[in-house]
Amino acid sequence: MSAINRGLRQATRSLPLRSIPRSALRPLSTIKPAAALTLSSATPATRIARSSFSTMSALKSASAAPSPSEGTGYDKEITDIASYVHNQNIDSELAFDTARWVFLDTLGCGLEALRFKECTKLLGPVVPGTVVPSGSRVPGTDFQLDPVNGAFNIGAMIRWLDYNDCWLAAEWGHPSDNLGAILAVADWITRTNKAGGNVAGGKIFTVRDVLEAMIKAHEIQGCLALLNSYNKVGLDHVVLVKVASTAVVSKMLGLSEKQTADAITHAWVDGQSLRTYRHSPNTMSRKSWAAGDACQRAVNLALKVLKGETGIPTVLSAPTWGFYDVLFKGKTFEFQRDYGSYVMENVLFKVSYPAEFHSQTAVEASEKIHHQLKAMGKSAADIKAVTCRTHEACIRIIDKQFKPMDNFADRDHCIQYMCSVMLVFGRLTAGDYLDGSEAATSELVESLRKKIKCVEDPQFTADYHDPALRTISNGLTVELNDGTVLPEVVVEAPLGHRLRREEAKPHILAKYKRHLEQHFGADKVQQLVDLGLDGKKLESTPVDEYVDLYVVKDSKFLKA
């Protein structure tokens, strides 16, 4: 070794030194060190010598360093969520009634997604043929999976068609996405404990327990979204699914309030998804399984803390390295209200169309115009131009007037495409987004799409953010080729909005039944509908027994 070292030293001495111009040299006393390195009133040279570039002190003290979560105050944003999950009693009958409708609707949306191979190809065990004893069951299939992969499967199904509930504020999202994690964990714990296990103290979950977890997950995701825009810093809203799911799943697994806080910190420090898969030129199918990914990460993180992993107390506020400085441009979260049950009570049902929610009222207006044109003896072919008066979020997310429609994900996030399909055919279904479909290959749809121009109405934008309204307004004005201008058709609150909730319930039930009918016979469909409408009976049903009603052996939609 000494010979090798001597050779290296000799080689180093023989290396030519690059000449440095004298003008580039400055006296050491003129160098201004970074503010982070400044220590008291020492001279500049002394500051550099004593700066944190030396790692020796850290190495010497590492073995004696306390656990990160010992003796350090947690960010209040973290402890508030943990306290809410563990200590808040939900006594709102409106919230539980709404959660029951969300539960049925969400399961129906998941079943409908199984009709699409792009979804089913991602489902099932990681290793084909694997069956996990007492594992989570996946509705509409015969899969029996570990709770982490079960959460992905259920979460991906729910979100695939963009047809489940919605929450719109400074950030938007779909709070029922959290059901992927909630249902998988509740089902697995219940089956495991019935088989002799002792997870979460032997807890046997009922559907009411699931509904309560849904109310709290909705509340966490929705309140974090009210005044805080993650999309404006390029982050996808599924970060909120991960945080909310981690919080409620931690409580379900029997973690303490402090452990729940630890798990929540891991959800914030975890790598966050970029929104680029939702926007041109990268719009693609990951947006449909992003929530499933968030659900599985949430369950995985909670299980790690269950095994004793500690947290990162100032994960949000730590200077330089915390979430706020790294990913939120130094801003801190703002809150409009305390956690309760407000979000579930005011959530938006997506009833009429499988379309991105900011377009729902525009598509409804298009449907009215389609019938108006038909009554006039005209059609979409007679349209010269369409002006869509809308809100800012719609323009930012789904205004794609001239962008080529490359795939399913492009089409179901383009307001011009969705309105055009409705104007041309008088319908909008999930099948209309498929490559090669009648709508996707229609020359009239494509030409009409380019004639629809979006313009922002500041009042619509203000109403969108108003806590008392939260409307999602769109108004369409159609000009015909003969010069006729039709009166503007405005729809402010979509069917499924709080202001139209009772009107929506028969449609929600019909939607749920329609989705069941693709998988089950008439008797099973009626059994599930009747149970869903009987609130007390449904809530008292053990969750494993309820999920078993959705098991399908040899599903025709999962065959190669």
Side-chain angles (χ1 to χ4, degrees):
M1 290 298 294
S2 60
I4 294 174
N5 288 336
R6 283 195 300 273
L8 287 172
R9 285 197 293 270
Q10 290 170 357
T12 301
R13 291 193 191 103
S14 65
L15 290 173
L17 295 176
R18 188 176 59 183
S19 176
I20 302 177
R22 183 173 296 275
S23 60
L25 299 177
R26 289 186 293 159
L28 184 59
S29 61
T30 66
I31 298 175
K32 295 183 179 180
L37 302 180
T38 302
L39 299 174
S40 67
S41 58
T43 63
T46 306
R47 286 184 215 136
I48 294 174
R50 290 164 52 188
S51 76
S52 59
F53 284 114
S54 172
T55 61
M56 291 308 296
S57 59
L59 290 173
K60 289 176 182 177
S61 63
S63 61
S67 167
S69 58
E70 292 178 10
T72 305
Y74 286 68
D75 288 325
K76 187 176 185 298
E77 300 90 330
I78 305 295
T79 56
D80 283 351
I81 294 174
S83 177
Y84 166 68
V85 169
H86 280 266
N87 304 316
Q88 181 85 13
N89 179 47
I90 303 297
D91 55 9
S92 167
E93 287 305 314
L94 174 59
F96 273 103
D97 180 68
T98 306
R100 177 169 57 88
W101 286 94
V102 170
F103 182 59
L104 300 178
D105 181 54
T106 304
L107 287 171
C109 290
L111 293 174
E112 180 69 2
L114 295 179
R115 298 176 57 203
F116 295 82
K117 289 189 178 297
E118 289 300 304
C119 176
T120 58
K121 73 180 183 183
L122 299 175
L123 306 183
V126 175
V127 178
T130 301
V131 176
V132 177
S134 304
S136 305
R137 305 304 296 260
V138 180
T141 79
D142 197 25
F143 296 141
Q144 192 166 343
L145 310 172
D146 67 84
V148 175
N149 198 29
F152 173 82
N153 275 243
I154 300 171
M157 290 165 54
I158 288 169
R159 185 86 286 273
W160 196 265
L161 294 176
D162 201 0
Y163 210 1
N164 55 322
D165 72 1
C166 190
W167 184 249
L168 303 179
E171 184 61 46
W172 37 84
H174 308 273
S176 61
D177 291 349
N178 294 286
L179 184 61
I182 293 167
L183 188 61
V185 169
D187 191 27
W188 167 67
I189 291 175
T190 300
R191 293 180 193 277
T192 299
N193 291 340
K194 282 188 174 183
N198 189 35
V199 182
K203 172 80 174 179
I204 302 298
F205 284 89
T206 64
V207 172
R208 183 175 177 88
D209 294 318
V210 170
L211 298 183
E212 182 176 359
M214 290 174 64
I215 293 169
K216 290 189 173 182
H218 270 62
E219 189 74 358
I220 295 166
Q221 179 172 348
C223 285
L224 284 168
L226 282 173
L227 300 177
N228 306 296
S229 177
Y230 304 82
N231 63 82
K232 285 187 177 179
V233 295
L235 298 181
D236 194 22
H237 52 69
V238 294
V239 59
L240 302 183
V241 175
K242 181 166 49 176
V243 170
S245 287
T246 299
V248 296
V249 163
S250 294
K251 172 68 161 53
M252 294 169 69
L253 287 168
L255 271 63
S256 68
E257 186 174 334
K258 177 185 174 300
Q259 287 176 308
T260 296
D262 286 336
I264 294 167
T265 68
H266 281 286
W268 283 116
V269 85
D270 202 21
Q272 310 304 346
S273 297
L274 304 179
R275 282 187 61 86
T276 188
Y277 48 71
R278 298 187 190 275
H279 297 276
S280 176
N282 295 311
T283 314
M284 51 88 67
S285 58
R286 177 159 180 159
K287 74 178 184 62
S288 298
W289 55 263
D293 180 63
C295 287
Q296 73 173 350
R297 287 173 182 266
V299 177
N300 191 27
L301 293 172
L303 289 171
K304 282 179 167 58
V305 174
L306 182 65
K307 292 180 178 180
E309 192 67 15
T310 56
I312 309 100
T314 57
V315 61
L316 297 174
S317 65
T320 306
W321 311 115
F323 180 91
Y324 289 147
D325 276 1
V326 174
L327 296 173
F328 220 57
K329 296 188 176 180
K331 294 178 60 180
T332 58
F333 295 152
E334 298 178 52
F335 293 89
Q336 185 184 86
R337 60 198 313 115
D338 293 333
Y339 295 114
S341 54
Y342 171 81
V343 176
M344 182 61 81
E345 292 167 359
N346 290 275
V347 77
L348 300 162
F349 285 86
K350 191 176 288 188
V351 181
S352 303
Y353 320 104
E356 202 279 341
F357 213 97
H358 295 88
S359 71
Q360 288 283 317
T361 52
V363 177
E364 185 174 342
S366 298
E367 185 171 16
K368 293 179 179 181
I369 293 169
H370 171 83
H371 293 299
Q372 183 179 356
L373 289 172
K374 191 173 182 179
M376 295 170 61
K378 295 183 179 294
S379 71
D382 295 300
I383 295 176
K384 177 181 179 181
V386 180
T387 300
C388 177
R389 188 161 60 98
T390 187
H391 48 289
E392 182 273 339
C394 176
I395 293 175
R396 182 145 46 94
I397 305 167
I398 54 175
D399 181 8
K400 301 179 181 178
Q401 183 176 8
F402 299 108
K403 197 274 179 194
M405 296 289 97
D406 296 329
N407 50 39
F408 187 113
D410 255 341
R411 298 181 190 104
D412 80 344
H413 271 57
C414 173
I415 187 171
Q416 286 87 357
Y417 180 84
M418 292 180 275
C419 290
S420 294
V421 173
M422 178 58 75
L423 289 168
V424 172
F425 298 107
R427 65 157 199 263
L428 182 64
T429 70
D432 290 320
Y433 301 124
L434 292 171
D435 292 345
S437 65
E438 179 184 29
T441 57
S442 167
E443 294 183 4
L444 181 55
V445 167
E446 179 62 12
S447 64
L448 181 57
R449 184 176 70 83
K450 296 175 181 177
K451 297 176 182 178
I452 302 176
K453 179 181 179 181
C454 290
V455 294
E456 181 189 356
D457 182 328
Q459 188 60 54
F460 282 1
T461 299
D463 293 346
Y464 174 90
H465 292 289
D466 186 339
L469 295 175
R470 299 206 179 282
T471 49
I472 311 98
S473 307
N474 281 289
L476 267 60
T477 301
V478 172
E479 180 184 358
L480 302 180
N481 291 325
D482 62 8
T484 302
V485 178
L486 303 182
E488 182 185 47
V489 177
V490 178
V491 181
E492 296 181 336
L495 189 64
H497 188 281
R498 176 180 53 84
L499 299 174
R500 298 175 67 185
R501 180 70 52 78
E502 292 305 312
E503 178 189 354
K505 283 184 176 179
H507 298 276
I508 297 170
L509 185 63
K511 174 187 171 188
Y512 172 62
K513 187 176 180 180
R514 187 170 68 246
H515 291 162
L516 291 175
E517 289 170 344
Q518 297 296 325
H519 301 268
F520 306 109
D523 290 345
K524 173 63 74 67
V525 170
Q526 195 59 50
Q527 178 189 8
L528 287 167
V529 169
D530 290 344
L531 180 55
L533 292 175
D534 188 336
K536 290 185 177 179
K537 184 177 181 181
L538 176 68
E539 290 184 7
S540 65
T541 304
V543 70
D544 61 319
E545 296 177 20
Y546 184 73
V547 173
D548 280 343
L549 296 175
Y550 288 86
V551 171
V552 176
K553 296 183 182 294
D554 300 320
S555 169
K556 62 184 177 182
F557 300 115
L558 297 174
K559 295 179 180 178

